Amino acid sequence: MTEPGAVSSGAGEGDWASLVVANTSGSIRVRTTNQGLPLAVKVEAAELHRDSAQLAGEVLRLCQKAANRAGLALRKQLEEAGLDAAGLARTGLPTEADVARQEIVEEQDYDTEPQSWLRSV
């Protein structure tokens, strides 16, 4: 589908694009619409042993990441088509800075959190 932590686009129904986003380990992959609605979820067997709320939270986070990336791509398309800055601002679509900031927050909140406070001695 895609490499761990990456985002890729693919063909969807009609003119709608779909995005594939994977977590950093690549064990969870989500294909979504350009609005972040899940079309397919692929979860490796080892992930199914996690707490169901944590797993659901990870899938939701990946869907939101895809939606942000899709919004940014749409914003760039509108900019290339000649929409002025005021028009772009009214769309509410995220900027590159918005997406980068959100992804940094996500990394700090999810990717670096220990699953257990136990450590080997």
Side-chain angles (χ1 to χ4, degrees), residues 39-50:
L39 298 172
V41 177
K42 207 170 195 183
V43 180
E44 291 184 3
E47 291 289 342
L48 297 175
H49 298 290
R50 293 173 61 174

Side-chain angles (χ1 to χ4, degrees), residues 30-118:
V30 179
R31 185 169 61 92
T32 70
T33 66
N34 60 353
Q35 297 167 338
L37 299 173
L39 298 172
V41 177
K42 207 170 195 183
V43 180
E44 291 184 3
E47 291 289 342
L48 297 175
H49 298 290
R50 293 173 61 174
D51 176 63
S52 59
Q54 287 179 343
L55 180 58
E58 181 73 4
V59 170
L60 179 60
R61 183 184 72 81
L62 292 172
C63 290
Q64 290 169 338
K65 182 176 185 176
N68 283 338
R69 290 289 181 106
L72 178 60
L74 179 56
R75 183 184 185 97
K76 287 180 180 180
Q77 288 176 352
L78 292 173
E79 187 175 23
E80 289 171 2
L83 190 61
D84 64 357
L88 286 171
R90 283 193 298 271
T91 65
L93 295 170
T95 63
E96 284 190 46
D98 294 335
V99 172
R101 186 174 27 257
Q102 183 61 35
E103 289 183 6
I104 288 170
V105 168
E106 287 175 4
E107 286 176 13
Q108 291 172 345
D109 287 347
Y110 296 100
D111 294 341
T112 60
E113 292 282 327
Q115 294 298 315
S116 170
W117 291 105
L118 299 176

Side-chain angles (χ1 to χ4, degrees), residues 19-39:
L19 295 157
V20 178
V21 180
N23 65 348
T24 53
S25 67
S27 58
I28 302 172
R29 294 183 177 98
V30 179
R31 185 169 61 92
T32 70
T33 66
N34 60 353
Q35 297 167 338
L37 299 173
L39 298 172

